[in-house]
Amino acid sequence: MNITRTNVDALNAVLTVPVTKADYADKVQKVLADYRKNAAIPGFRKGTVPMSLIQKQYGKAVLLEEVNKILQEKLNSYLVEEKLDILGNPLPKVTQDFDWETENYNFDFELGLAPEFTVDLAAKNAITSYTIIADDKMLNDQVERIQKQYGKLISKETVEEGDDLNVTFINEANGINNTTSISLDVFKDKKAAKKFIGKKVGDVVSIGTKGLFDDDHKLMDYLKVDHDLVHGLDVAIDVKIEGITTSEKAELNQELFDKLFGEGVVTSVEEVKAKIKEDAEKQFVQQADQKFLNDVTEFLLESTKFDLPSEFLIKWLQNSGEQPLSEAQAREEFAKSEKGLRYQLIEGKIMAENQLQITFEDLKAFTSELIKKQMAQFGQMNPTQEDIDGIVARVLSNQDETRRLSEQVMSEKMLQLFKEKVKTKSKEVSYEQFVKEMYGE
């Protein structure tokens, strides 16, 4: 193919792709001949226009188009044959004085080469693997919430101890405007809680956010404040009372147990707590796994060192989108995407070295289980396999859904691999402790 590669350094190279007259001449002549057959030029019958006139009018454009086609074919074939691991796409080197009047051409392309590196999954630093337990406090709180949820709700006009409020938290300067339900015992600041006693629907109570809750993260739930802002947030907020209710707690009897879990499934408060504990801890496994996956990802990014062809990638970003970017914009975009690119390379190497692949059977089995869980949520506990297979077929006929599900399957495979090969230390925590660990506190 006569393509030559000049390595600038370990991460950058230049390809020189020759295109000779022998490559393009016949193709150009065939296109021009077709133009001549169909050309409609005043003074000439169709098909009798002199080739010299066709050549003059269309020759340059046809030459450029055919040379470009040949160039792309040669370039793509070379990259496949040489199995070059490149980042981005080849960038043509612009030559201001390129001479199209010659018969043979040489085109140069810049390449960004993927770096060589090793990934050590068994490095010394141990990642914490959490087991989240539903402790007694959580179980008692959940039972009380169930009693209130299934109890009798009574609307009121005036706030008293133990009431539930529907309120809107407002602070225009900080963009806070969120309506939610609260109980006064949620406030750590008891002085703030007392301000509501005796107030009526429509009244507005002013309180401060600093120390309002026992955990600043609750500001995210009640005020819809971003995590980056919650720590030490100290602003005044108006709380408008939209509604006041109290509830007579439901009795913990068999009628309530049957309503919650089905007839005869549980018969005592202890069994209720055991059931809540079992269901909660199943959900906690997913959250613990996600944190473990996140922590391993960060560990690999920190411990796996390699350089990137940064200047090439910045130049490539300038020209790869629908709209060209300035150099400053491209540098900003590269800074945002560099971490993700590094992990893609690390992940790709791990997958290759451990032969992690997704088969169609893997995808079908994963999708099937997902559909069964979704159907169970809507009360369809025993769907037929025929029904499941039909839904799976429809889901996997959508390319976007197939890609999304494939990513989930590979994520599970990576998680299992990490659990097998990454050094871990086990830690048992309550959910409340886990949340604090999750946010680094």
Side-chain angles (χ1 to χ4, degrees):
M1 195 176 287
N2 297 326
I3 293 178
T4 59
R5 184 176 89 202
T6 304
N7 290 328
V8 178
D9 55 37
L11 298 173
N12 294 274
V14 174
L15 289 186
T16 300
V17 185
V19 178
T20 66
K21 185 176 181 180
D23 293 324
Y24 65 78
D26 289 346
K27 293 181 173 64
V28 169
Q29 287 305 310
K30 183 179 184 305
V31 174
L32 291 176
D34 290 340
Y35 274 36
R36 183 171 182 256
K37 289 177 185 178
N38 299 298
I41 297 178
F44 299 96
R45 295 194 310 276
K46 189 174 183 180
T48 65
V49 179
M51 181 56 81
S52 60
L53 191 58
I54 296 295
Q55 176 71 40
K56 183 178 179 181
Q57 188 165 349
Y58 302 108
K60 186 68 172 289
V62 171
L63 173 65
L64 293 176
E65 184 176 352
E66 293 304 314
V67 167
N68 186 58
K69 288 179 183 177
I70 294 166
L71 187 59
Q72 293 303 320
E73 288 173 6
K74 285 191 171 189
L75 187 59
N76 293 337
S77 296
Y78 178 85
L79 294 175
V80 171
E81 289 172 11
E82 295 295 315
K83 298 179 180 178
L84 284 183
D85 194 1
I86 64 172
L87 302 179
N89 292 315
L91 283 177
K93 294 187 74 173
V94 179
T95 305
Q96 297 297 333
D97 56 352
F98 191 86
D99 186 6
W100 283 100
E101 299 305 320
T102 62
E103 294 182 338
N104 300 315
Y105 313 106
N106 284 318
F107 299 91
D108 290 336
F109 289 85
E110 296 178 71
L111 297 183
L113 305 176
E116 293 290 334
F117 59 92
T118 58
V119 180
D120 184 7
L121 291 178
K124 292 182 180 179
N125 290 354
I127 305 296
T128 301
S129 176
Y130 290 94
T131 300
I132 308 171
I133 302 300
D135 59 7
D136 288 341
K137 180 179 182 303
M138 170 177 273
L139 297 177
N140 291 333
D141 288 347
Q142 185 62 23
V143 169
E144 186 171 347
R145 275 194 289 271
I146 289 171
Q147 285 184 274
K148 292 178 73 173
Q149 181 182 348
Y150 287 88
K152 184 179 179 182
L153 208 59
I154 302 170
S155 294
K156 299 178 61 180
E157 286 298 319
T158 304
V159 180
E160 295 180 277
E161 292 280 356
D163 288 344
D164 293 317
L165 309 180
N166 186 253
V167 300
T168 301
F169 290 102
I170 304 165
N171 179 298
E172 293 183 4
N174 289 272
I176 298 170
N177 192 312
N178 186 56
T179 301
T180 187
S181 296
I182 62 167
S183 56
L184 296 181
D185 58 9
V186 78
F187 294 132
K188 177 185 177 182
D189 184 349
K190 299 309 176 187
K191 289 182 179 178
K194 286 182 180 179
K195 287 186 177 182
F196 289 86
I197 303 300
K199 299 297 183 183
K200 299 180 181 297
V201 173
D203 287 348
V204 176
V205 177
S206 294
I207 57 177
T209 57
K210 187 175 182 180
L212 185 60
F213 301 108
D214 59 2
D215 182 348
D216 283 345
H217 292 109
K218 289 182 180 178
L219 293 169
M220 296 166 61
D221 298 323
Y222 291 108
L223 275 64
K224 297 303 177 189
V225 179
D226 290 340
H227 177 257
D228 292 342
L229 301 176
V230 297
H231 296 289
L233 182 67
D234 186 8
V235 298
I237 50 173
D238 290 334
V239 186
K240 183 180 178 183
I241 301 173
E242 310 285 358
I244 307 166
T245 58
T246 189
S247 61
E248 294 178 358
K249 292 181 182 179
E251 287 186 37
L252 294 172
N253 55 25
Q254 194 60 47
E255 181 182 355
L256 179 60
F257 302 157
D258 291 346
K259 187 181 294 185
L260 290 171
F261 303 106
E263 190 172 347
V265 174
V266 298
T267 58
S268 67
V269 175
E270 288 71 26
E271 289 181 6
V272 169
K273 289 182 179 180
K275 189 72 174 172
I276 293 171
K277 183 179 178 69
E278 178 186 356
D279 292 344
E281 290 179 356
K282 281 181 182 177
Q283 295 180 22
F284 293 161
V285 168
Q286 295 179 352
Q287 295 180 56
D289 282 348
Q290 187 59 56
K291 176 161 177 56
F292 178 71
L293 196 57
N294 293 345
D295 289 346
V296 173
T297 298
E298 290 300 321
F299 160 68
L300 290 172
L301 283 166
E302 290 173 8
S303 63
T304 309
K305 305 297 184 183
F306 54 83
D307 292 325
L308 291 171
S310 304
E311 292 304 315
F312 168 83
L313 290 170
I314 289 166
K315 191 185 298 184
W316 176 71
L317 284 169
Q318 284 185 260
N319 301 283
S320 62
E322 292 183 7
Q323 297 293 330
L325 301 178
S326 67
E327 182 180 342
Q329 289 173 322
R331 288 187 180 279
E332 183 180 353
E333 188 63 30
F334 177 72
K336 291 178 183 176
S337 60
E338 181 180 3
K339 190 174 181 179
L341 173 59
R342 286 182 178 277
Y343 189 69
Q344 281 182 1
L345 293 171
I346 294 170
E347 186 179 52
K349 193 167 190 69
I350 292 171
M351 289 164 60
E353 290 180 347
N354 294 276
Q355 298 180 329
L356 294 184
Q357 296 179 333
I358 300 174
T359 67
F360 188 64
E361 290 305 313
D362 289 336
L363 196 54
K364 282 176 61 180
F366 179 83
T367 308
S368 178
E369 288 303 311
L370 202 61
I371 289 167
K372 287 178 183 177
K373 289 177 183 177
Q374 290 173 346
M375 294 179 77
Q377 290 176 350
F378 293 96
Q380 294 176 268
M381 306 304 294
N382 297 298
T384 66
Q385 192 58 48
E386 184 179 357
D387 288 341
I388 295 291
D389 291 343
I391 298 172
V392 169
R394 287 196 297 275
V395 169
L396 296 182
S397 67
N398 183 303
Q399 289 187 352
D400 290 338
E401 277 298 298
T402 299
R403 181 167 55 253
R404 184 180 66 82
L405 291 167
S406 296
E407 289 172 356
Q408 292 182 35
V409 173
M410 183 51 71
S411 181
E412 284 199 354
K413 287 179 178 283
M414 293 288 283
L415 175 63
Q416 293 308 313
L417 178 73
F418 291 158
K419 285 185 175 182
E420 292 168 11
K421 296 199 171 187
V422 173
K423 290 183 178 178
T424 61
K425 55 184 178 183
S426 299
K427 187 171 184 179
E428 189 174 286
V429 294
S430 68
Y431 184 72
E432 188 174 325
Q433 291 170 323
F434 176 74
V435 170
K436 291 181 179 179
E437 296 272 0
M438 186 87 171
Y439 292 105
E441 296 185 357

